[in-house]
Amino acid sequence: MPQPQVPDVSFRPEPLAGEPRRLALARRTLEIALFCLPALLISTPWGLLPFTALALAAFLMAPGRIAHGYREIGAALRPLLLMAVAVAVIVAVSTFLHDVRWREADNRLRLLTLPFFALMAYAYRPSRRWLWAGALVGLAGAFAVAVYQVVGGMDRAAGWTANAIVYAEAVIALIVLAVFCRPSGELLWTTAACALGVVTVALSGSRGTWPGVLIVLLIGLLVSGGRARRVSWAVLATLALGAVAALWIGPLAEQTRIEELRSDVHRLKEGDNASSLGARLNLLSLAGQTFVEHPLDGIGVGSFGRAVSALPECRPPVARVGFCRLTHAHSDVPEWAATMGLPGLLAILAVYLLPLVLFVRRLRALPAGRSRASALGGLVLVLVYIASGLTQSMFAHQLVASFYAVAVGLLYGFSLREARSDDSGP
């Protein structure tokens, strides 16, 4: 899985001569944080904690760099800042109106960190190589954990997240970093790590993440050349063979839940909605109905479980099992619309579409021969989240919600640096 073979200014050694020692130390600390972000995200129970602690330490070593960076790129960063603040206001108003616990709003409020991490990537000038190296370690670690769990008897690998879908979504996000933060010439290690990631997704049994895998592979194929393109074709052919094998080989069909999907489709044709696919369709219908009934303010951020509990088949004394235990709509747009009304619908569209537009603008603004890897990586990451958000409420889970804010911010900051590579530093 490749990326375009063009000069990448972010991998040039940083000029340290005459640089304040504290700034140099802050940069090194942030680079270690960038490594820990993907390396420890799902391969350890620590998640984003090491990254957050190290990034905060780097900021405290040279806080003046943030103000300096904002003076240079404030105009380019302002749309993301306004978006994050607007989403925070919508979430906060919903929390107060419906007397919702603040922990329900927490995941959405983490979007406020997105502009901050963009500034850090721009102002402290770390090397993007650390993100790539961390992604390789993270994918290898996630694969090891998945194999251990499946061999140990688990039906679906879930790592430390306790949620197989979230685990697979995080793996796809790491594949994006591995592919589009790759230094020139590092094709072998990148391909091997991405192959481990694809196997990990299969072991998770998550079907909704496969469109994300195809997005990464197809875009990588379109922008690559030479040996990288040949490798992409080989990987694409291997995935196609794997998909065909999953249709005919029993154990593989069971692990990837292809057989369950066949059964769900058959049951739907017979009028039986008591299946995984049927439950998702029922949730979408319920979300649409809830939005129509509460179009302006919804029923409260993070409170979709209330709508489920209010269904006749889920009311007490019925035990809360199966469908009745679901607490979100398993799809981003219906979830935000049902819980926060029209403002929520506009908010989730902005969360995805605004970064998408900004990354496209970065790509168009960079002339031929200039590295576009960060902007391209950010574009693909947002597309992957949009695809995954069709079958899962991404911001209902702290891990993937936080990673979106951090990774999109970092990649946007790196892309702004690439656009100014003719300045005093890369």
Side-chain angles (χ1 to χ4, degrees), residues 145-304:
V145 171
V147 170
Y148 175 80
Q149 290 183 336
V150 172
V151 171
M154 288 184 63
D155 292 334
R156 302 172 62 185
W160 306 98
T161 67
N163 187 313
I165 300 176
V166 171
Y167 193 60
E169 289 163 349
V171 169
I172 302 301
L174 296 190
I175 290 177
V176 173
L177 295 185
V179 172
F180 295 98
C181 293
R182 175 177 69 86
S184 178
E186 298 290 354
L187 184 61
L188 177 61
W189 288 109
T190 302
T191 303
C194 291
L196 295 180
V198 171
V199 174
T200 304
V201 172
L203 293 176
S204 75
S206 177
R207 299 168 300 200
T209 52
W210 287 111
V213 175
L214 292 178
I215 287 172
V216 178
L217 181 60
L218 290 175
I219 293 181
L221 178 64
L222 290 173
V223 301
S224 62
R227 190 164 64 97
R229 173 163 291 189
R230 291 194 295 272
V231 170
S232 284
W233 278 115
V235 174
L236 183 60
T238 302
L239 282 180
L241 289 174
V244 173
L247 295 174
W248 300 100
I249 300 175
L252 187 57
E254 183 177 350
Q255 182 62 49
T256 56
R257 300 175 68 215
I258 297 298
E259 188 58 43
E260 181 181 331
L261 180 61
R262 288 174 173 171
S263 175
D264 288 356
V265 172
H266 178 72
R267 292 169 67 178
L268 279 175
K269 290 180 178 178
E270 297 294 325
D272 181 5
N273 291 334
S275 64
S276 176
L277 180 59
R280 276 178 163 77
L281 294 177
N282 287 337
L283 288 172
L284 292 177
S285 175
L286 177 60
Q289 179 183 340
T290 304
F291 176 67
V292 170
E293 294 174 354
H294 306 273
L296 297 180
D297 61 346
I299 58 174
V301 57
S303 300
F304 190 77

